[in-house]
Amino acid sequence: MRSQFTTIALLKKLAANGLFFLLAFMLITCSDNPGSPNSEPEPEPEPKPTPEVTVGNLDITTVTTGLDPDPRGYTVLVENGESIDAGPNEVFTLEEIDEGTYSVELSDVEEHCTVQSANPVSVEIVAEQTSTVEFEIECAGIFREKVVFFRNGTQSAKTGYSLAQQSYYAMNYDGSELERVKDLNFDGRINFSSDISPDGTKMAVIYMEDREFDSRIGIINAYDDELIFLNDLESDVSYFYPVFSPDGSKIAYIKTSDSSTKRDIYIMDSDGTNIVQVTTSGALEENLNWSADGSKIIFERSTKDYKYQGIYSVNTDGTGEKLITDSEMEFTDPVWSPNGDKIAVVGSQFEPYYYNEVFVMNPDGTNIQKIASKEGQSIYYSGLKWSPDGTKIYFLSNRDGQPDAEFGYAYASKDIFMVNADGSNLVNITNTPQVDESNLMLTP
């Protein structure tokens, strides 16, 4: 029996000790848990390196000065980058450009504008910084898509004389946004024929020193009043009808000499050099105009005793002279259309009374069509000009003026009119009955 109880006691003791060892094992196991206060912490992970910044920004500025009220803007090209449109006065930023040295260039600068600063310019892009480039541009005055003309408010309708002060104006093709550009206070006066260069920057004028016929050809820059002469003043020599070539490089004109009994056509470079005589007929040439391609000149001719002979064309080297019109009606003021397929002229009727009308015809004188007339009244038309797109014709006329009680319609003030090339929709776009418009010009 003793041994049996001893065995039972031993088993109970071992059971009790087993529970102890189980508890001890659990404590030991738990002590290996990292979250345990007695465990050693794992090392912190290494921080990821901050990426190195290798880009910067670029501020580009355009500053435009000069007389052009509205240059069309430019293009900026950054080396290995895209082209960017830039206004005439603008600041813009290009972001995140890789470090390095770049060439920055201003392009698409119109011919009447000049870049005064370095162009192209080299710029260094530095990380996390903003570099700067500034372009300085100066633009000369320009007449763009304008009708330009003179007003001689002090001119006597009866004598035709005006005081020295003359003003010139500009407006849109439809007559809107009229502006008084300049008052020209010269000792002499600007004669009735002028022309604007194709680029709109210069005006060729005939300047008369006094009321005699001696005159010179001068250049006035757009929106300016400085007169630059292209030739010297000569006694008993006068100039008429200066007209720029289609590319603006030359000026054709008529020179009168031999006591006004001889008028020939000449051509010179637009700076007054390289003068070439085109016609040597010994007659009186008047009212010239260039063909659209610049290869020919069209003009009217009369004899020394002012007997009308017709409209002619001639090559600019004087060869190939050709009679275009041969009719009883006198055609004057010939003007080629921009594409060269038509000629606009003023036709004069003398029976049963004198009056003018406006016609268009083919370059060979055929297919004559009347587009403006006021039959039964002595009406004056002159200064014909085609619109750049060839759809309209502009002219000076007194057709809406009040006739002078003593001198009739011939001395009424002239307005500027516009009519479609087919004769429809004739409109008076100035309508200033008390003021005389002259020197009608159009710019593309």
Side-chain angles (χ1 to χ4, degrees):
M1 293 294 292
R2 178 183 179 91
S3 60
Q4 181 181 1
F5 287 117
T6 301
T7 303
I8 293 173
L10 181 61
L11 291 173
K12 290 182 177 180
K13 185 176 182 181
L14 288 173
N17 289 339
L19 178 61
F20 171 79
F21 284 119
L22 177 62
L23 292 173
F25 175 77
M26 291 176 63
L27 289 173
I28 292 171
T29 303
C30 290
S31 67
D32 291 336
N33 191 324
S36 171
N38 297 324
S39 64
E40 293 187 11
E42 289 186 1
E44 291 289 335
E46 291 290 335
K48 294 182 179 180
T50 302
E52 182 182 359
V53 178
T54 61
V55 295
N57 298 333
L58 175 62
D59 281 349
I60 299 176
T61 303
T62 56
V63 179
T64 303
T65 58
L67 293 175
D68 182 0
D70 187 24
R72 290 172 172 157
Y74 323 103
T75 299
V76 174
L77 179 62
V78 180
E79 185 179 1
N80 300 324
E82 296 181 359
S83 60
I84 303 150
D85 293 335
N89 292 282
E90 186 176 358
V91 180
F92 57 94
T93 301
L94 303 180
E95 298 179 340
E96 297 185 354
I97 303 175
D98 291 336
E99 282 186 304
T101 302
Y102 294 84
S103 174
V104 183
E105 183 176 8
L106 190 73
S107 63
D108 292 336
V109 180
E110 295 184 80
E111 291 184 359
H112 69 289
C113 299
T114 303
V115 182
Q116 303 293 322
S117 56
N119 186 36
V121 62
S122 180
V123 61
E124 184 75 19
I125 300 297
V126 179
E128 299 187 88
Q129 296 185 20
T130 298
S131 303
T132 61
V133 169
E134 181 174 289
F135 291 106
E136 297 178 359
I137 310 99
E138 184 174 6
C139 294
I142 183 173
F143 294 116
R144 184 187 290 116
E145 299 177 4
K146 294 290 185 180
V147 178
V148 184
F149 61 96
F150 277 70
R151 274 182 177 164
N152 306 321
T154 57
Q155 185 174 15
S156 168
K158 297 181 180 180
T159 64
Y161 293 134
S162 64
L163 300 179
Q165 183 180 16
Q166 293 174 300
S167 304
Y168 71 97
Y169 295 72
M171 61 184 177
N172 294 334
Y173 291 156
D174 61 0
S176 63
E177 299 186 20
L178 174 68
E179 64 169 328
R180 185 171 183 163
V181 180
K182 280 290 180 180
D183 293 329
L184 303 178
N185 295 289
F186 299 140
D187 293 334
R189 61 192 176 94
I190 303 299
N191 202 358
F192 59 86
S193 56
S194 304
D195 193 39
I196 294 286
S197 61
D199 64 4
T201 62
K202 298 183 287 293
M203 176 170 26
V205 300
I206 299 297
Y207 179 76
M208 304 186 75
E209 300 288 340
D210 49 37
R211 288 182 180 147
E212 301 300 326
F213 288 102
D214 299 344
S215 60
R216 286 190 279 178
I217 299 176
I219 294 292
I220 301 174
N221 291 325
Y223 291 92
D224 200 355
D225 55 4
E226 181 183 3
L227 184 61
I228 303 170
F229 291 112
L230 300 184
N231 48 27
D232 296 327
L233 185 66
E234 301 177 62
S235 179
D236 295 325
V237 174
S238 298
Y239 297 86
F240 300 94
Y241 312 110
V243 183
F244 283 96
S245 61
D247 65 0
S249 65
K250 298 183 180 297
I251 297 175
Y253 60 94
I254 290 174
K255 180 179 179 180
T256 300
S257 57
D258 298 338
S259 300
S260 298
T261 61
K262 188 174 183 297
R263 296 179 185 174
D264 289 313
I265 297 173
Y266 292 77
I267 294 176
M268 64 180 172
D269 290 348
S270 58
D271 62 0
T273 61
N274 298 323
I275 298 173
V276 176
Q277 185 171 350
V278 178
T279 61
T280 56
S281 66
L284 301 177
E285 328 286 30
E286 293 190 78
N287 291 316
L288 58 84
N289 187 252
W290 292 81
S291 63
D293 63 1
S295 65
K296 296 180 182 295
I297 290 176
I298 193 172
F299 62 97
E300 63 180 271
R301 174 178 287 165
S302 301
T303 62
K304 290 182 180 181
D305 57 357
Y306 297 97
K307 182 179 179 180
Y308 175 79
Q309 289 189 319
I311 301 294
Y312 289 77
S313 67
V314 64
N315 296 330
T316 54
D317 62 0
T319 63
E321 185 174 287
K322 181 180 179 181
L323 176 65
I324 294 176
T325 61
D326 184 15
S327 69
E328 294 182 358
M329 179 177 287
E330 292 188 4
F331 292 111
T332 61
D333 289 314
V335 183
W336 246 305
S337 64
N339 63 6
D341 66 344
K342 294 289 182 182
I343 293 172
V345 294
V346 173
S348 299
Q349 295 276 15
F350 297 94
E351 298 293 341
Y353 45 81
Y354 176 81
Y355 64 92
N356 288 340
E357 299 168 309
V358 181
F359 298 83
V360 293
M361 64 177 69
N362 294 337
D364 60 1
T366 61
N367 192 26
I368 301 173
Q369 298 179 349
K370 186 186 302 183
I371 65 167
S373 177
K374 202 170 184 179
E375 296 183 15
Q377 299 183 32
S378 181
I379 301 298
Y380 173 86
Y381 295 92
S382 69
L384 305 184
K385 296 290 186 295
W386 288 86
S387 62
D389 63 3
T391 63
K392 293 178 173 58
I393 296 172
Y394 293 74
F395 54 83
L396 297 164
S397 180
N398 60 359
R399 56 178 290 135
D400 285 355
Q402 295 297 316
D404 184 273
E406 182 179 355
F407 291 90
Y409 274 100
Y411 293 98
S413 296
K414 296 183 290 297
D415 290 321
I416 298 174
F417 291 79
M418 173 181 66
V419 64
N420 291 338
D422 63 3
S424 62
N425 195 29
L426 190 150
V427 180
N428 185 337
I429 61 174
T430 52
N431 198 20
T432 52
Q434 303 303 319
V435 180
D436 203 42
E437 267 89 62
S438 65
N439 300 59
L440 175 61
M441 299 165 273
L442 261 70
T443 65

